[in-house]
């Protein structure tokens, strides 16, 4: 199958956003609303079992604070999440979160080769725009023909819905694409949509099961900073380029 498109997850894949981005932004929002909730790096690792910020807050309260009462809990969750998004995008605007190794290089190579690009993520659209603008390039939003994000589909990853939505919008077969994910929830979503997937792990996901991935790597690697290969034959290569992706497809 010819490789025609690259589909990128955002959080944990393009950039290490969770531990020092989303997590402190949630905590700032809690403090703003006078709540003494503190999501430590360790606790956050457990909460990542649930994708989506609003869903994560809800899961936290239901499982860790069963006695918590609020006059209008749905509104509180929505307001907290709005505040969290404001804090998070402000962090991005300050240049706080760099891209992971190899991401910029691979994006440039794909654009030069005329491959189609898309974003497929559960994160809020404002977060995508801010990350692309401040961490990739001023005009990076225009590099992606489809940005599938947030509540466009009600069922977030690990459901395949966001991938199916993006594939339909692009009118492309999954076999002509490669998805990039960092987590098991992301891999379950992409594979349930039949998209061959390369996983680049991070501190929160390195222990997860990625049996269904074409390759599992520490990161995409650079010519002078090779990746560590956890699964998949790289034929002697030590950074991801289009030639290697075509081999994996
Ligand atoms: C990412 C997420 C997101 C972020 C927060 O999952 O789970 O919830 O943590 O984003 P994936 P929002 O990388 O698999 O898409 O707060 O904007 O929902
Ligand atoms: Mg992710």
């Amino acid at each position: 199958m010819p490789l025609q498109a690259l589909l990128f997850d955002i959080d944990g894949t393009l950039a290490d956003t969770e531990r020092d981005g989303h997590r402190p932004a949630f905590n700032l929002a809690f403090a703003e609303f006078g709540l003494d909730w503190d999501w430590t790096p360790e606790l956050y690792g457990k909460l990542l079992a649930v994708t989506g910020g609003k869903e994560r807050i809800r899961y936290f309260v239901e499982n860790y604070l069963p006695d918590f009462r609020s006059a209008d809990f749905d509104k509180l969750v929505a307001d907290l999440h709005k505040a969290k998004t404001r804090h998070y995008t402000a962090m991005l605007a300050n240049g706080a979160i760099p891209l992971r190794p190899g991401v910029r290089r691979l994006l440039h190579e794909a654009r030069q080769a005329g491959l189609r690009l898309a974003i497929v993520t559960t994160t809020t659209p404002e977060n995508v725009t801010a990350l692309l603008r401040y961490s990739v390039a001023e005009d990076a939003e225009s590099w992606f023909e489809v940005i599938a994000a947030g509540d466009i589909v009600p069922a977030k990853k690990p459901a395949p819905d966001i991938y199916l939505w993006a594939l339909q919008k692009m009118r492309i077969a999954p076999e002509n694409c490669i998805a990039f994910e960092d987590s098991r929830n992301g891999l379950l979503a992409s594979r349930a949509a039949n998209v061959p997937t390369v996983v680049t792990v991070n501190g929160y996901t390195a222990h997860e099961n990625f049996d269904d991935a074409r390759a599992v790597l520490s990161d995409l690697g650079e010519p002078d900073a090779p990746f560590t290969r956890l699964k998949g034959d790289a034929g002697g290569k030590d950074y991801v380029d289009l030639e290697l992706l075509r081999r994996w497809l």
Side-chain angles (χ1 to χ4, degrees), residues 9-13 17-18 22 26 44 48 50-56 81 84-85 88 120-125 127 150-151 156-157 181-183 185-186:
D9 169 49
I10 290 269
D11 293 309
T13 300
T17 50
E18 295 290 8
H22 289 292
F26 280 112
Y44 196 68
L48 281 174
V50 175
T51 61
K54 293 187 287 291
E55 293 80 353
R56 192 167 297 140
H81 192 254
K84 177 259 169 178
T85 300
Y88 178 69
V120 185
T121 176
T122 63
T123 209
T124 301
N127 300 348
D151 298 323
K156 296 191 172 167
K157 300 175 187 176
E181 283 285 354
D182 67 301
S183 69
N185 277 331

Side-chain angles (χ1 to χ4, degrees), residues 122-178:
T122 63
T123 209
T124 301
E126 289 103 294
N127 300 348
V128 180
T129 311
L131 188 96
L132 292 179
R133 181 170 307 157
Y134 299 117
S135 298
V136 181
E138 180 71 37
D139 67 338
E141 230 181 314
S142 69
W143 301 3
F144 297 87
E145 77 174 73
V146 164
I147 294 182
D151 298 323
I152 285 178
V153 294
K156 296 191 172 167
K157 300 175 187 176
D161 303 32
I162 194 77
Y163 273 97
L164 297 173
W165 189 91
L167 292 167
Q168 193 183 24
K169 196 101 180 149
M170 296 171 82
R171 296 182 179 279
I172 195 169
E175 298 81 11
N176 293 114
C177 306
I178 289 200

Side-chain angles (χ1 to χ4, degrees), residues 212-233:
D212 205 14
R214 291 291 159 104
V216 183
L217 310 167
S218 57
D219 52 77
L220 295 175
E222 294 283 21
D224 60 353
F227 56 56
T228 302
R229 191 166 45 83
L230 309 171
K231 181 194 162 183
D233 177 8

